[in-house]
Amino acid sequence: MTYQLCVEPLGETIEVEEGQTILDACLRAGVYLPHACGHGLCGTCKIDVLEGEVEHRDASSFALMDFERDEGKTLACVATLAADTVIEADLDDEPDAEHHPVRDYHATVARVERLAGDILGLWLALDDGPLAFQAGQYVMLEVPGIAGPRAFSIASPPSQAGEIELHIRLVPGGKATGWLHENAREGLKLKFAGPYGRFHVRRSANLSKLFLAGGSGLSSPQSMILDLLEKGETGPILLVHGARDAAGLYHADIFRALEEAHANFAYLPVVSGEDASWQGARGFVHEAIERRFGGRFDGQQAYLCGPPPMIDACITTLMRGRLFERQIFHEKFLTPADAAQARSPLFKRI
């Protein structure tokens, strides 16, 4: 059985399968709804039900309170339809956003490379044709024998849509990343869905681009920077990549080559731990940018990707230096354990 879902204020009507969540149906139809955790815990995907009937399912009573249910609100990431329905969502006007429907893909591992001690590089050749995506987006990868897909950012640029690059950090105790680190090999068949996410470059702002990455958080910035340079971006671009030691600064050769080839691109690697062999910048990413810019970030547009403590420290530093929410963008992958803290009570995006 299928139901008709009308999404306002777009006025667009899509089909929703019985048991399919509102969010999944919209993303697969190319209609973007704001979301974050995907577990019914953070409230980012809260929408108004104007007509029809929905099942709230696993919506947290914290993210969707009883009075909000009574007022006709629900969480798109877990809610399903029980009748033809009309919803209204708070949709941002994103002039630089591309709209790519989510699809299911089959892929074959074409290459495996140890990028750093705890980071594995996977190159997946797509068996179902190229993946259309916007630089900065991610896929949900199914890991054999592990329940639930895992999110991994695409590190390759959209121009290489027939084969995508993923950076897999070994999460302590993580079943999915542990399996991939132990078993990934050339020829392995994998499945994923994508593209997901709203982490992309806002080129129309015409500001200097500041990319801040920690560890395997390099993946999205790598895709975005390669895409920008391929498209002839001439404005200043700076990548700051932080790691505990020099060995963690993987793909440094790629970015040094880009620095040589493009006068508008600069690469600043920084090491936070004790590494006697390292002769470059030391400290954390937020300390490196404070030194680089003298604590003032006027005219910048910042894109952050990495562990939550790094992102939080960088946001604090940027805002102290007079860069505010409208020019700070980041992507966080959230588990049920931390999804309840996905949204700041003060800011819309941060």
Side-chain angles (χ1 to χ4, degrees):
M1 178 181 290
T2 62
Y3 299 104
Q4 299 295 305
L5 176 68
C6 179
V7 183
E8 297 291 359
L10 298 177
E12 188 164 343
T13 299
I14 65 173
E15 287 193 349
V16 183
E17 299 289 336
E18 185 175 11
Q20 184 181 25
T21 67
I22 293 173
L23 178 62
D24 184 65
C26 286
L27 294 179
R28 289 179 180 273
V31 176
Y32 179 83
L33 297 183
H35 61 282
C37 75
H39 306 293
L41 297 173
C42 74
T44 304
C45 64
K46 194 174 297 177
I47 56 176
D48 291 298
V49 181
L50 304 181
E51 298 177 21
E53 184 180 352
V54 302
E55 298 288 344
H56 298 294
R57 298 182 70 191
D58 298 327
S60 158
S61 59
F62 174 81
L64 185 68
M65 297 184 181
D66 289 341
F67 76 88
E68 292 179 307
R69 297 172 192 238
D70 294 340
E71 291 175 351
K73 297 184 185 297
T74 194
L75 302 183
C77 72
V78 292
T80 59
L81 299 190
D84 292 345
T85 300
V86 179
I87 63 169
E88 185 173 38
D90 182 15
L91 303 177
D92 291 333
D93 182 19
E94 291 277 7
D96 296 293
E98 299 175 9
H99 301 280
H100 300 290
V102 170
R103 290 176 46 201
D104 296 313
Y105 291 87
H106 295 80
T108 303
V109 176
R111 192 172 114 198
V112 180
E113 182 181 337
R114 179 69 54 183
L115 300 176
D118 62 347
I119 301 174
L120 190 71
L122 288 187
W123 283 259
L124 304 181
L126 277 63
D127 302 333
D128 307 311
L131 167 68
F133 69 97
Q134 187 167 12
Q137 291 190 294
Y138 65 92
V139 299
M140 298 296 293
L141 181 69
E142 295 184 25
V143 180
I146 306 297
R150 301 300 195 270
F152 296 105
S153 294
I154 305 170
S156 44
S159 61
Q160 299 174 18
E163 181 178 289
I164 62 171
E165 177 184 346
L166 305 178
H167 301 166
I168 314 294
R169 183 179 72 86
L170 180 61
V171 177
K175 294 180 180 179
T177 60
W179 192 96
L180 289 168
H181 273 248
E182 291 178 10
N183 299 283
R185 64 189 185 281
E186 290 185 17
L188 176 69
K189 298 291 185 179
L190 294 172
K191 294 188 292 183
F192 67 85
Y196 291 95
R198 203 68 157 185
F199 189 46
H200 63 271
V201 176
R202 276 71 174 175
R203 295 189 69 186
S204 61
N206 198 28
L207 297 171
S208 299
K209 308 295 188 292
L210 175 60
F211 293 92
L212 309 179
S216 62
L218 180 66
S219 50
S220 287
Q222 175 178 307
S223 177
M224 297 157 95
I225 290 167
L226 290 172
D227 186 52
L228 279 171
L229 294 175
E230 285 179 3
K231 291 177 177 177
E233 177 69 27
T234 57
I237 303 171
L238 171 63
L239 167 64
V240 183
H241 184 206
R244 287 187 296 272
D245 53 40
L249 297 169
Y250 65 95
H251 281 352
D253 55 337
I254 292 176
F255 296 108
R256 290 193 175 104
L258 289 175
E259 194 173 35
E260 288 290 327
H262 301 273
N264 62 317
F265 173 70
Y267 170 55
L268 176 58
V270 57
V271 166
S272 60
E274 297 294 332
D275 186 339
S277 67
W278 178 246
Q279 301 299 315
R282 290 186 175 275
F284 295 102
V285 171
H286 69 280
E287 295 170 332
I289 60 171
E290 189 163 25
R291 291 193 300 265
R292 179 88 173 207
F293 292 93
R296 291 302 297 259
F297 303 99
D298 311 67
Q300 299 292 320
Q301 196 177 61
Y303 297 87
L304 289 60
C305 198
M310 185 217 87
I311 289 178
D312 293 342
C314 287
I315 289 173
T316 299
T317 299
L318 291 168
M319 295 189 76
R320 283 176 178 168
R322 310 298 293 175
L323 192 69
F324 299 113
E325 184 196 8
R326 66 182 178 274
Q327 300 301 346
I328 300 175
F329 307 92
H330 67 91
E331 185 79 274
K332 280 186 179 179
F333 298 143
L334 302 164
T335 67
D338 57 18
Q341 300 176 355
R343 294 289 298 275
S344 162
L346 300 177
F347 303 107
K348 185 175 181 180
R349 261 198 324 268
I350 294 176

